[in-house]
Amino acid sequence: MDDKIKELLEQGFVERSQIAFTRMREAVPRFDELVNELVSLSEEVEHCAGISEGAREQVRQFLSRSSEVDAEFQKYLYIQGARDCVEMLRELGVIR
């Protein structure tokens, strides 16, 4: 696939993800609570005197990798959902 097309698809994915994120925040009030809890816990770990700098760095790395895995999973699900939609529309005879 052409790099320009990949770039456009990636840009479209990012835009759609942001729209979906905004809609999810509106539709699922608990989501903001969970995000706030996560931020609070992250700050507690960051400022906890009982944790060594090495352990703190491991926690940072874990959270970073966890976010990366989650982002890739969300991307996969979004693309798979689009594929499933196209397949279903084909089966229904709406598109070829």
Side-chain angles (χ1 to χ4, degrees):
M1 187 182 300
D2 185 318
D3 286 342
K4 185 64 176 172
I5 293 172
K6 284 182 182 179
E7 183 180 324
L8 289 172
L9 288 172
E10 184 69 27
Q11 192 175 28
F13 171 74
V14 169
E15 289 173 10
R16 294 304 309 165
S17 294
Q18 289 172 344
I19 291 167
F21 182 78
T22 300
R23 288 180 180 166
M24 184 176 74
R25 289 184 68 191
E26 293 168 356
V28 183
R30 173 110 171 93
F31 182 74
D32 280 337
E33 277 181 50
L34 293 171
V35 169
N36 290 335
E37 287 176 31
L38 182 62
V39 169
S40 177
L41 288 170
S42 178
E43 288 173 356
E44 284 180 39
V45 168
E46 190 66 33
H47 298 100
C48 182
I51 298 177
S52 70
E53 187 56 38
R56 192 172 285 125
E57 183 57 30
Q58 281 185 312
V59 170
R60 283 186 203 116
Q61 287 178 4
F62 170 78
L63 292 173
S64 175
R65 296 302 177 267
S66 180
S67 291
E68 288 176 34
V69 167
D70 185 52
E72 287 299 316
F73 181 60
Q74 288 179 32
K75 182 177 176 180
Y76 173 83
L77 286 178
Y78 188 88
I79 291 169
Q80 187 60 46
R83 287 179 180 146
D84 291 345
C85 180
V86 169
E87 183 179 332
M88 185 173 30
L89 290 172
R90 280 189 181 133
E91 289 177 9
L92 293 171
V94 176
I95 61 174
R96 288 198 246 171

mmCIF file of all heavy atoms in Angstrom, residues 46-87:
data_model
loop_
_atom_site.group_PDB
_atom_site.id
_atom_site.type_symbol
_atom_site.label_atom_id
_atom_site.label_comp_id
_atom_site.label_asym_id
_atom_site.label_seq_id
_atom_site.Cartn_x
_atom_site.Cartn_y
_atom_site.Cartn_z
ATOM 1 N N GLU A 46 3.783 8.172 41.750
ATOM 2 C CA GLU A 46 4.867 9.092 41.390
ATOM 3 C C GLU A 46 5.462 9.780 42.610
ATOM 4 O O GLU A 46 6.658 10.037 42.668
ATOM 5 C CB GLU A 46 4.333 10.140 40.402
ATOM 6 C CG GLU A 46 5.381 11.002 39.780
ATOM 7 C CD GLU A 46 6.336 10.259 38.863
ATOM 8 O OE1 GLU A 46 5.916 9.295 38.205
ATOM 9 O OE2 GLU A 46 7.518 10.645 38.818
ATOM 10 N N HIS A 47 4.622 10.067 43.606
ATOM 11 C CA HIS A 47 5.080 10.812 44.778
ATOM 12 C C HIS A 47 5.236 9.964 46.039
ATOM 13 O O HIS A 47 5.511 10.504 47.109
ATOM 14 C CB HIS A 47 4.131 11.990 45.037
ATOM 15 C CG HIS A 47 4.105 12.957 43.906
ATOM 16 N ND1 HIS A 47 3.111 12.964 42.971
ATOM 17 C CD2 HIS A 47 4.969 13.934 43.543
ATOM 18 C CE1 HIS A 47 3.354 13.905 42.078
ATOM 19 N NE2 HIS A 47 4.481 14.512 42.396
ATOM 20 N N CYS A 48 5.090 8.673 45.924
ATOM 21 C CA CYS A 48 5.193 7.797 47.091
ATOM 22 C C CYS A 48 6.650 7.675 47.528
ATOM 23 O O CYS A 48 7.517 7.259 46.765
ATOM 24 C CB CYS A 48 4.629 6.413 46.753
ATOM 25 S SG CYS A 48 4.657 5.291 48.154
ATOM 26 N N ALA A 49 6.903 8.039 48.763
ATOM 27 C CA ALA A 49 8.271 8.009 49.293
ATOM 28 C C ALA A 49 8.762 6.582 49.501
ATOM 29 O O ALA A 49 9.969 6.336 49.501
ATOM 30 C CB ALA A 49 8.335 8.781 50.606
ATOM 31 N N GLY A 50 7.858 5.623 49.661
ATOM 32 C CA GLY A 50 8.242 4.250 49.941
ATOM 33 C C GLY A 50 8.640 3.450 48.707
ATOM 34 O O GLY A 50 8.982 2.280 48.821
ATOM 35 N N ILE A 51 8.619 4.068 47.546
ATOM 36 C CA ILE A 51 8.960 3.357 46.314
ATOM 37 C C ILE A 51 10.294 3.875 45.787
ATOM 38 O O ILE A 51 10.495 5.083 45.657
ATOM 39 C CB ILE A 51 7.858 3.567 45.242
ATOM 40 C CG1 ILE A 51 6.526 2.989 45.719
ATOM 41 C CG2 ILE A 51 8.268 2.944 43.918
ATOM 42 C CD1 ILE A 51 5.377 3.220 44.768
ATOM 43 N N SER A 52 11.176 2.941 45.485
ATOM 44 C CA SER A 52 12.491 3.340 44.961
ATOM 45 C C SER A 52 12.343 3.928 43.561
ATOM 46 O O SER A 52 11.345 3.698 42.872
ATOM 47 C CB SER A 52 13.427 2.129 44.909
ATOM 48 O OG SER A 52 13.007 1.241 43.888
ATOM 49 N N GLU A 53 13.336 4.668 43.130
ATOM 50 C CA GLU A 53 13.306 5.256 41.790
ATOM 51 C C GLU A 53 13.257 4.168 40.723
ATOM 52 O O GLU A 53 12.583 4.309 39.707
ATOM 53 C CB GLU A 53 14.515 6.171 41.565
ATOM 54 C CG GLU A 53 14.469 6.937 40.263
ATOM 55 C CD GLU A 53 13.211 7.784 40.074
ATOM 56 O OE1 GLU A 53 12.729 8.373 41.049
ATOM 57 O OE2 GLU A 53 12.708 7.835 38.931
ATOM 58 N N GLY A 54 13.941 3.052 40.958
ATOM 59 C CA GLY A 54 13.913 1.937 40.009
ATOM 60 C C GLY A 54 12.512 1.352 39.861
ATOM 61 O O GLY A 54 12.049 1.083 38.746
ATOM 62 N N ALA A 55 11.839 1.163 40.994
ATOM 63 C CA ALA A 55 10.471 0.636 40.962
ATOM 64 C C ALA A 55 9.530 1.637 40.306
ATOM 65 O O ALA A 55 8.647 1.259 39.535
ATOM 66 C CB ALA A 55 9.997 0.307 42.380
ATOM 67 N N ARG A 56 9.750 2.906 40.595
ATOM 68 C CA ARG A 56 8.923 3.956 40.002
ATOM 69 C C ARG A 56 9.070 3.946 38.474
ATOM 70 O O ARG A 56 8.097 4.061 37.739
ATOM 71 C CB ARG A 56 9.328 5.306 40.581
ATOM 72 C CG ARG A 56 8.378 6.426 40.264
ATOM 73 C CD ARG A 56 8.709 7.707 41.024
ATOM 74 N NE ARG A 56 8.301 7.549 42.405
ATOM 75 C CZ ARG A 56 9.111 7.718 43.463
ATOM 76 N NH1 ARG A 56 10.361 8.053 43.300
ATOM 77 N NH2 ARG A 56 8.653 7.553 44.678
ATOM 78 N N GLU A 57 10.297 3.776 38.005
ATOM 79 C CA GLU A 57 10.544 3.723 36.560
ATOM 80 C C GLU A 57 9.892 2.491 35.942
ATOM 81 O O GLU A 57 9.351 2.558 34.837
ATOM 82 C CB GLU A 57 12.047 3.736 36.270
ATOM 83 C CG GLU A 57 12.393 3.761 34.801
ATOM 84 C CD GLU A 57 11.797 4.929 34.023
ATOM 85 O OE1 GLU A 57 11.598 6.018 34.605
ATOM 86 O OE2 GLU A 57 11.503 4.745 32.825
ATOM 87 N N GLN A 58 9.919 1.380 36.649
ATOM 88 C CA GLN A 58 9.246 0.178 36.151
ATOM 89 C C GLN A 58 7.743 0.405 36.018
ATOM 90 O O GLN A 58 7.129 -0.028 35.048
ATOM 91 C CB GLN A 58 9.507 -1.021 37.073
ATOM 92 C CG GLN A 58 10.858 -1.640 36.864
ATOM 93 C CD GLN A 58 11.006 -2.892 37.715
ATOM 94 O OE1 GLN A 58 10.709 -2.880 38.909
ATOM 95 N NE2 GLN A 58 11.469 -3.967 37.091
ATOM 96 N N VAL A 59 7.154 1.081 36.994
ATOM 97 C CA VAL A 59 5.731 1.383 36.932
ATOM 98 C C VAL A 59 5.453 2.291 35.739
ATOM 99 O O VAL A 59 4.491 2.077 34.992
ATOM 100 C CB VAL A 59 5.231 2.030 38.248
ATOM 101 C CG1 VAL A 59 3.823 2.574 38.092
ATOM 102 C CG2 VAL A 59 5.291 1.032 39.390
ATOM 103 N N ARG A 60 6.293 3.298 35.520
ATOM 104 C CA ARG A 60 6.121 4.190 34.360
ATOM 105 C C ARG A 60 6.183 3.398 33.059
ATOM 106 O O ARG A 60 5.372 3.603 32.153
ATOM 107 C CB ARG A 60 7.212 5.261 34.343
ATOM 108 C CG ARG A 60 7.015 6.369 35.311
ATOM 109 C CD ARG A 60 8.078 7.455 35.094
ATOM 110 N NE ARG A 60 8.247 8.225 36.289
ATOM 111 C CZ ARG A 60 9.366 8.285 37.023
ATOM 112 N NH1 ARG A 60 10.439 7.627 36.667
ATOM 113 N NH2 ARG A 60 9.405 9.022 38.099
ATOM 114 N N GLN A 61 7.171 2.513 32.960
ATOM 115 C CA GLN A 61 7.313 1.708 31.753
ATOM 116 C C GLN A 61 6.111 0.793 31.562
ATOM 117 O O GLN A 61 5.610 0.623 30.448
ATOM 118 C CB GLN A 61 8.596 0.885 31.797
ATOM 119 C CG GLN A 61 9.844 1.712 31.591
ATOM 120 C CD GLN A 61 11.105 0.868 31.683
ATOM 121 O OE1 GLN A 61 11.050 -0.340 31.833
ATOM 122 N NE2 GLN A 61 12.251 1.524 31.582
ATOM 123 N N PHE A 62 5.652 0.199 32.649
ATOM 124 C CA PHE A 62 4.478 -0.666 32.573
ATOM 125 C C PHE A 62 3.262 0.105 32.063
ATOM 126 O O PHE A 62 2.557 -0.344 31.161
ATOM 127 C CB PHE A 62 4.161 -1.278 33.944
ATOM 128 C CG PHE A 62 2.844 -1.985 33.975
ATOM 129 C CD1 PHE A 62 2.708 -3.252 33.438
ATOM 130 C CD2 PHE A 62 1.723 -1.360 34.513
ATOM 131 C CE1 PHE A 62 1.474 -3.900 33.443
ATOM 132 C CE2 PHE A 62 0.495 -1.999 34.516
ATOM 133 C CZ PHE A 62 0.370 -3.273 33.981
ATOM 134 N N LEU A 63 3.017 1.273 32.642
ATOM 135 C CA LEU A 63 1.869 2.074 32.229
ATOM 136 C C LEU A 63 1.993 2.518 30.775
ATOM 137 O O LEU A 63 1.009 2.519 30.026
ATOM 138 C CB LEU A 63 1.703 3.286 33.146
ATOM 139 C CG LEU A 63 1.288 2.963 34.586
ATOM 140 C CD1 LEU A 63 1.316 4.224 35.445
ATOM 141 C CD2 LEU A 63 -0.072 2.310 34.629
ATOM 142 N N SER A 64 3.195 2.870 30.367
ATOM 143 C CA SER A 64 3.418 3.286 28.989
ATOM 144 C C SER A 64 3.139 2.141 28.015
ATOM 145 O O SER A 64 2.425 2.300 27.016
ATOM 146 C CB SER A 64 4.853 3.773 28.827
ATOM 147 O OG SER A 64 5.125 4.076 27.483
ATOM 148 N N ARG A 65 3.697 0.966 28.296
ATOM 149 C CA ARG A 65 3.477 -0.199 27.431
ATOM 150 C C ARG A 65 2.014 -0.629 27.446
ATOM 151 O O ARG A 65 1.454 -1.010 26.425
ATOM 152 C CB ARG A 65 4.359 -1.374 27.844
ATOM 153 C CG ARG A 65 5.838 -1.155 27.698
ATOM 154 C CD ARG A 65 6.226 -0.806 26.252
ATOM 155 N NE ARG A 65 7.641 -0.529 26.155
ATOM 156 C CZ ARG A 65 8.184 0.679 26.252
ATOM 157 N NH1 ARG A 65 7.432 1.737 26.421
ATOM 158 N NH2 ARG A 65 9.481 0.848 26.158
ATOM 159 N N SER A 66 1.399 -0.544 28.609
ATOM 160 C CA SER A 66 -0.013 -0.897 28.723
ATOM 161 C C SER A 66 -0.854 0.027 27.846
ATOM 162 O O SER A 66 -1.770 -0.430 27.151
ATOM 163 C CB SER A 66 -0.451 -0.804 30.185
ATOM 164 O OG SER A 66 -1.807 -1.131 30.318
ATOM 165 N N SER A 67 -0.535 1.294 27.842
ATOM 166 C CA SER A 67 -1.253 2.251 26.992
ATOM 167 C C SER A 67 -1.035 1.950 25.520
ATOM 168 O O SER A 67 -1.968 2.046 24.708
ATOM 169 C CB SER A 67 -0.802 3.682 27.297
ATOM 170 O OG SER A 67 -1.238 4.072 28.564
ATOM 171 N N GLU A 68 0.189 1.592 25.160
ATOM 172 C CA GLU A 68 0.494 1.253 23.763
ATOM 173 C C GLU A 68 -0.292 0.022 23.319
ATOM 174 O O GLU A 68 -0.862 -0.004 22.219
ATOM 175 C CB GLU A 68 1.989 1.002 23.587
ATOM 176 C CG GLU A 68 2.833 2.247 23.650
ATOM 177 C CD GLU A 68 4.327 1.937 23.558
ATOM 178 O OE1 GLU A 68 4.697 0.983 22.840
ATOM 179 O OE2 GLU A 68 5.111 2.653 24.201
ATOM 180 N N VAL A 69 -0.323 -0.996 24.182
ATOM 181 C CA VAL A 69 -1.065 -2.223 23.863
ATOM 182 C C VAL A 69 -2.549 -1.896 23.715
ATOM 183 O O VAL A 69 -3.208 -2.348 22.774
ATOM 184 C CB VAL A 69 -0.844 -3.301 24.953
ATOM 185 C CG1 VAL A 69 -1.831 -4.442 24.824
ATOM 186 C CG2 VAL A 69 0.585 -3.822 24.882
ATOM 187 N N ASP A 70 -3.071 -1.094 24.630
ATOM 188 C CA ASP A 70 -4.478 -0.725 24.573
ATOM 189 C C ASP A 70 -4.789 0.045 23.283
ATOM 190 O O ASP A 70 -5.807 -0.206 22.637
ATOM 191 C CB ASP A 70 -4.861 0.112 25.788
ATOM 192 C CG ASP A 70 -6.334 0.407 25.841
ATOM 193 O OD1 ASP A 70 -7.140 -0.543 25.740
ATOM 194 O OD2 ASP A 70 -6.695 1.596 25.968
ATOM 195 N N ALA A 71 -3.917 0.969 22.897
ATOM 196 C CA ALA A 71 -4.135 1.747 21.673
ATOM 197 C C ALA A 71 -4.134 0.842 20.444
ATOM 198 O O ALA A 71 -4.975 0.989 19.546
ATOM 199 C CB ALA A 71 -3.070 2.830 21.539
ATOM 200 N N GLU A 72 -3.206 -0.107 20.386
ATOM 201 C CA GLU A 72 -3.157 -1.032 19.247
ATOM 202 C C GLU A 72 -4.398 -1.923 19.207
ATOM 203 O O GLU A 72 -4.938 -2.203 18.144
ATOM 204 C CB GLU A 72 -1.891 -1.889 19.293
ATOM 205 C CG GLU A 72 -0.632 -1.134 18.941
ATOM 206 C CD GLU A 72 -0.661 -0.556 17.528
ATOM 207 O OE1 GLU A 72 -1.078 -1.254 16.580
ATOM 208 O OE2 GLU A 72 -0.261 0.616 17.370
ATOM 209 N N PHE A 73 -4.848 -2.344 20.388
ATOM 210 C CA PHE A 73 -6.043 -3.176 20.460
ATOM 211 C C PHE A 73 -7.267 -2.400 19.983
ATOM 212 O O PHE A 73 -8.080 -2.906 19.215
ATOM 213 C CB PHE A 73 -6.242 -3.680 21.896
ATOM 214 C CG PHE A 73 -7.431 -4.570 22.071
ATOM 215 C CD1 PHE A 73 -7.538 -5.767 21.372
ATOM 216 C CD2 PHE A 73 -8.439 -4.224 22.944
ATOM 217 C CE1 PHE A 73 -8.637 -6.601 21.537
ATOM 218 C CE2 PHE A 73 -9.554 -5.048 23.116
ATOM 219 C CZ PHE A 73 -9.648 -6.234 22.412
ATOM 220 N N GLN A 74 -7.389 -1.156 20.425
ATOM 221 C CA GLN A 74 -8.509 -0.324 19.997
ATOM 222 C C GLN A 74 -8.466 -0.103 18.478
ATOM 223 O O GLN A 74 -9.513 -0.143 17.818
ATOM 224 C CB GLN A 74 -8.486 1.016 20.724
ATOM 225 C CG GLN A 74 -8.875 0.897 22.176
ATOM 226 C CD GLN A 74 -8.815 2.227 22.887
ATOM 227 O OE1 GLN A 74 -9.056 3.268 22.301
ATOM 228 N NE2 GLN A 74 -8.479 2.192 24.163
ATOM 229 N N LYS A 75 -7.292 0.125 17.951
ATOM 230 C CA LYS A 75 -7.140 0.302 16.512
ATOM 231 C C LYS A 75 -7.578 -0.963 15.777
ATOM 232 O O LYS A 75 -8.325 -0.898 14.794
ATOM 233 C CB LYS A 75 -5.680 0.624 16.190
ATOM 234 C CG LYS A 75 -5.410 0.881 14.740
ATOM 235 C CD LYS A 75 -3.936 1.260 14.551
ATOM 236 C CE LYS A 75 -3.577 1.438 13.115
ATOM 237 N NZ LYS A 75 -2.160 1.802 12.938
ATOM 238 N N TYR A 76 -7.132 -2.101 16.256
ATOM 239 C CA TYR A 76 -7.516 -3.373 15.645
ATOM 240 C C TYR A 76 -9.033 -3.556 15.680
ATOM 241 O O TYR A 76 -9.648 -3.912 14.683
ATOM 242 C CB TYR A 76 -6.825 -4.538 16.349
ATOM 243 C CG TYR A 76 -7.315 -5.875 15.856
ATOM 244 C CD1 TYR A 76 -6.789 -6.432 14.697
ATOM 245 C CD2 TYR A 76 -8.320 -6.559 16.526
ATOM 246 C CE1 TYR A 76 -7.250 -7.648 14.224
ATOM 247 C CE2 TYR A 76 -8.787 -7.777 16.056
ATOM 248 C CZ TYR A 76 -8.252 -8.321 14.908
ATOM 249 O OH TYR A 76 -8.722 -9.511 14.438
ATOM 250 N N LEU A 77 -9.642 -3.306 16.835
ATOM 251 C CA LEU A 77 -11.086 -3.466 16.966
ATOM 252 C C LEU A 77 -11.844 -2.532 16.028
ATOM 253 O O LEU A 77 -12.839 -2.920 15.419
ATOM 254 C CB LEU A 77 -11.533 -3.211 18.407
ATOM 255 C CG LEU A 77 -11.223 -4.285 19.421
ATOM 256 C CD1 LEU A 77 -11.682 -3.840 20.809
ATOM 257 C CD2 LEU A 77 -11.869 -5.603 19.051
ATOM 258 N N TYR A 78 -11.383 -1.314 15.912
ATOM 259 C CA TYR A 78 -12.048 -0.345 15.035
ATOM 260 C C TYR A 78 -11.996 -0.809 13.588
ATOM 261 O O TYR A 78 -13.011 -0.824 12.887
ATOM 262 C CB TYR A 78 -11.393 1.032 15.183
ATOM 263 C CG TYR A 78 -12.140 2.107 14.448
ATOM 264 C CD1 TYR A 78 -13.178 2.794 15.069
ATOM 265 C CD2 TYR A 78 -11.822 2.431 13.138
ATOM 266 C CE1 TYR A 78 -13.877 3.781 14.402
ATOM 267 C CE2 TYR A 78 -12.522 3.414 12.453
ATOM 268 C CZ TYR A 78 -13.550 4.084 13.093
ATOM 269 O OH TYR A 78 -14.244 5.052 12.419
ATOM 270 N N ILE A 79 -10.812 -1.209 13.142
ATOM 271 C CA ILE A 79 -10.649 -1.672 11.763
ATOM 272 C C ILE A 79 -11.441 -2.950 11.529
ATOM 273 O O ILE A 79 -12.104 -3.109 10.503
ATOM 274 C CB ILE A 79 -9.152 -1.851 11.429
ATOM 275 C CG1 ILE A 79 -8.484 -0.475 11.387
ATOM 276 C CG2 ILE A 79 -8.960 -2.585 10.109
ATOM 277 C CD1 ILE A 79 -6.973 -0.512 11.342
ATOM 278 N N GLN A 80 -11.414 -3.869 12.491
ATOM 279 C CA GLN A 80 -12.170 -5.113 12.349
ATOM 280 C C GLN A 80 -13.664 -4.823 12.295
ATOM 281 O O GLN A 80 -14.405 -5.458 11.545
ATOM 282 C CB GLN A 80 -11.846 -6.086 13.484
ATOM 283 C CG GLN A 80 -12.471 -7.450 13.291
ATOM 284 C CD GLN A 80 -12.003 -8.119 12.003
ATOM 285 O OE1 GLN A 80 -10.825 -8.136 11.699
ATOM 286 N NE2 GLN A 80 -12.932 -8.669 11.243
ATOM 287 N N GLY A 81 -14.116 -3.868 13.071
ATOM 288 C CA GLY A 81 -15.523 -3.485 13.034
ATOM 289 C C GLY A 81 -15.925 -2.961 11.659
ATOM 290 O O GLY A 81 -17.007 -3.279 11.153
ATOM 291 N N ALA A 82 -15.047 -2.172 11.048
ATOM 292 C CA ALA A 82 -15.323 -1.670 9.697
ATOM 293 C C ALA A 82 -15.374 -2.828 8.711
ATOM 294 O O ALA A 82 -16.266 -2.883 7.848
ATOM 295 C CB ALA A 82 -14.264 -0.656 9.286
ATOM 296 N N ARG A 83 -14.446 -3.766 8.831
ATOM 297 C CA ARG A 83 -14.448 -4.937 7.943
ATOM 298 C C ARG A 83 -15.719 -5.758 8.117
ATOM 299 O O ARG A 83 -16.325 -6.202 7.140
ATOM 300 C CB ARG A 83 -13.224 -5.813 8.224
ATOM 301 C CG ARG A 83 -11.934 -5.235 7.745
ATOM 302 C CD ARG A 83 -10.783 -6.145 8.093
ATOM 303 N NE ARG A 83 -9.536 -5.582 7.630
ATOM 304 C CZ ARG A 83 -8.378 -5.712 8.246
ATOM 305 N NH1 ARG A 83 -8.309 -6.422 9.372
ATOM 306 N NH2 ARG A 83 -7.294 -5.170 7.750
ATOM 307 N N ASP A 84 -16.107 -5.971 9.370
ATOM 308 C CA ASP A 84 -17.327 -6.739 9.646
ATOM 309 C C ASP A 84 -18.552 -6.035 9.069
ATOM 310 O O ASP A 84 -19.455 -6.689 8.531
ATOM 311 C CB ASP A 84 -17.503 -6.943 11.151
ATOM 312 C CG ASP A 84 -16.463 -7.875 11.753
ATOM 313 O OD1 ASP A 84 -15.777 -8.585 10.987
ATOM 314 O OD2 ASP A 84 -16.324 -7.873 12.992
ATOM 315 N N CYS A 85 -18.587 -4.718 9.170
ATOM 316 C CA CYS A 85 -19.704 -3.951 8.626
ATOM 317 C C CYS A 85 -19.786 -4.131 7.111
ATOM 318 O O CYS A 85 -20.868 -4.382 6.572
ATOM 319 C CB CYS A 85 -19.533 -2.476 8.977
ATOM 320 S SG CYS A 85 -20.856 -1.428 8.349
ATOM 321 N N VAL A 86 -18.653 -4.016 6.426
ATOM 322 C CA VAL A 86 -18.626 -4.188 4.972
ATOM 323 C C VAL A 86 -19.071 -5.598 4.601
ATOM 324 O O VAL A 86 -19.886 -5.790 3.689
ATOM 325 C CB VAL A 86 -17.227 -3.878 4.395
ATOM 326 C CG1 VAL A 86 -17.114 -4.315 2.946
ATOM 327 C CG2 VAL A 86 -16.906 -2.403 4.542
ATOM 328 N N GLU A 87 -18.573 -6.587 5.327
ATOM 329 C CA GLU A 87 -18.954 -7.978 5.044
ATOM 330 C C GLU A 87 -20.459 -8.183 5.218
ATOM 331 O O GLU A 87 -21.114 -8.816 4.387
ATOM 332 C CB GLU A 87 -18.182 -8.926 5.960
ATOM 333 C CG GLU A 87 -18.451 -10.384 5.683
ATOM 334 C CD GLU A 87 -17.643 -11.304 6.593
ATOM 335 O OE1 GLU A 87 -16.554 -10.914 7.037
ATOM 336 O OE2 GLU A 87 -18.134 -12.413 6.845
#
